[in-house]
Amino acid sequence: MTPGARRVLRAAERLFYERGIHAVGVDLIAAEAGVTKKTLYDRFGSKEQIVVEYLAGRDERWRELLAARLDAVAGRGPAVRAVAVFEASREWAAEYGSKGCSMINAHAEIGDPSHPAYPVITGQKRWMLELFTGLAREIGAGGAAGADRLGRTLMLLHEGALVAHGLGVFPDPFGHAADEVRDLLGRV
């Protein structure tokens, strides 16, 4: 990726996250990145593709941060790793997420399954559900049906914490959700 393209993505990420995808046009992105609209379109082709790359980049960085957190508690059991997901989310939100989850925010603006960013949004959430369900299987949550149920419960607690954080309705929703997970899983 060229330096100009990296500047476009950095500007788009900041602007999309702070102002919303629909509120930000390519003129503003190009101006903030210090490139021409021609350069922007030559590299990305469309605003929709910039949105795809913005969301995919955030998802990739989230997965890297989460993998490091999970690696740090490897061998301590799946219940400890489940709590570590919430702790990683607290860390991520403190650094990158003052307005809540970028995927949830993008989904609020992009509800059309034909939009090229839609699979990135739903793919990230499906990946999180698979992660939680895999942890639930390792915990031994009553067979496949029990693991599916526990995985969905963990996912709902996580998504609720993300939304509550973005809304700022009460302090430390990730800590609260982690405490609920500890209670649910027997105080790990």
Side-chain angles (χ1 to χ4, degrees):
M1 189 174 287
T2 66
R6 284 192 295 274
R7 287 194 313 273
V8 166
L9 277 180
R10 280 193 304 269
E13 178 169 349
R14 183 178 55 74
L15 292 166
F16 288 155
Y17 189 75
E18 288 176 3
R19 299 182 187 185
I21 293 167
H22 290 318
V24 174
V26 293
D27 290 327
L28 180 58
I29 295 168
E32 292 278 325
V35 300
T36 65
K37 278 178 41 179
K38 181 182 180 334
T39 298
L40 184 147
Y41 282 116
D42 284 349
R43 171 56 186 97
F44 297 98
S46 67
K47 178 182 173 182
E48 288 79 13
Q49 188 58 38
I50 298 170
V51 172
V52 168
E53 294 199 29
Y54 147 65
L55 292 170
R58 281 185 70 98
D59 183 38
E60 182 179 331
R61 289 192 311 279
W62 160 244
R63 290 182 195 214
E64 288 170 0
L65 181 139
L66 182 56
R69 283 297 225 140
L70 293 174
D71 287 348
V73 296
R76 294 188 50 203
V80 171
R81 290 196 317 277
V83 171
V85 175
F86 291 84
E87 292 167 350
S89 291
R90 179 194 285 144
E91 180 183 329
W92 174 272
E95 187 167 349
Y96 304 109
S98 63
K99 293 184 173 276
C101 175
S102 58
M103 299 298 167
I104 292 169
N105 297 344
H107 188 266
E109 293 192 69
I110 302 169
D112 180 3
S114 68
H115 190 287
Y118 194 83
V120 176
I121 298 165
T122 57
Q124 196 272 341
K125 296 305 179 184
R126 284 189 183 99
W127 181 81
M128 289 298 299
L129 178 58
E130 289 171 13
L131 172 74
F132 283 125
T133 302
L135 290 168
R137 279 191 198 101
E138 290 178 39
I139 290 167
D148 286 347
R149 182 179 170 89
L150 178 57
R152 289 176 184 155
T153 300
L154 294 171
M155 173 81 170
L156 289 172
L157 283 167
H158 187 258
E159 294 302 303
L162 287 168
V163 171
H165 171 76
L167 294 173
V169 294
F170 61 89
D172 195 17
F174 296 107
H176 182 82
D179 287 343
E180 291 300 313
V181 171
R182 286 183 191 95
D183 285 344
L184 181 66
L185 302 179
R187 288 317 255 172
V188 296

